[in-house]
Amino acid sequence: GVDPAPRPVTVVGTVTPFRIASPADGAEVTVDTDQTVVIQIRESGVPAAGRSVVVTTTRGTVNGSTVSATVVTNANGEASALVRSSSAGQATVTATAFPGGVPNSVSSRINYVSRTPAKIALSLEPSSIGANAAGSTSSGSGLVATERDGADNPVKGALGTVSAQDP
């Protein structure tokens, strides 16, 4: 049968908490802006200095030139890298360390957004309307405006004013 009595358990080995400390998962970052990514490694509760960490991104660059870079933890067990993207959208930043030679990865998402409108596109929905239905005196279509920045990224939270005049 099953013995329900509690028993002590001894864990042998080291515990290696490994995390992306900042930015928070899902953080919004303005396009074409450097964002510092901070990685923390602890071994047996103590900061792990001198550990190599490979940082990669699915959008943009790491440390200004490529989609991946190797950084090294300092005396506080922290390493940092700069990520940046010129295009809006979600990126996954992954940090991979190799404790005991075994790869261990953590990931965080960054949402790159544009906030500087440069142009606006207008469209009608529906794009065409037929004659008025029997018994009706009007038909309608909605005007949809999409604001974009100079690199054609959609602008988040943009407010605009549209006016029309009937000749």
Side-chain angles (χ1 to χ4, degrees):
V2 176
D3 181 1
R7 303 276 184 231
V9 175
T10 303
V11 178
V12 178
T14 61
V15 177
T16 308
F18 174 46
R19 69 185 188 111
I20 294 178
S22 70
D25 188 45
E28 287 188 354
V29 175
T30 302
V31 294
D32 279 331
T33 302
D34 287 337
Q35 172 64 52
T36 301
V37 175
V38 177
I39 300 102
Q40 291 179 333
I41 300 178
R42 303 273 186 265
E43 292 177 352
S44 299
V46 177
R51 301 299 186 267
S52 293
V53 180
V54 177
V55 180
T56 61
T57 183
T58 58
R59 179 183 295 273
T61 62
V62 179
N63 287 347
S65 62
T66 64
V67 296
S68 119
T70 300
V71 294
V72 178
T73 57
N74 61 21
N76 296 322
E78 296 180 346
S80 63
L82 294 176
V83 294
R84 180 184 188 110
S85 176
S86 60
S87 64
Q90 188 176 82
T92 299
V93 176
T94 301
T96 304
F98 301 87
V102 178
N104 183 9
S105 296
V106 292
S107 295
S108 185
R109 293 167 295 147
I110 292 177
N111 294 305
Y112 289 102
V113 296
S114 179
R115 302 211 187 269
T116 308
K119 56 188 169 183
I120 187 169
L122 300 173
S123 61
L124 294 173
E125 288 186 14
S127 60
S128 63
I129 53 176
N132 293 341
S136 175
T137 59
S138 67
S139 295
S141 181
L143 184 61
V144 177
T146 304
E147 292 191 68
R148 295 189 175 274
D149 67 10
D152 213 32
N153 291 305
V155 176
K156 182 173 183 174
L159 299 175
T161 302
V162 177
S163 62
Q165 185 175 9
D166 188 2

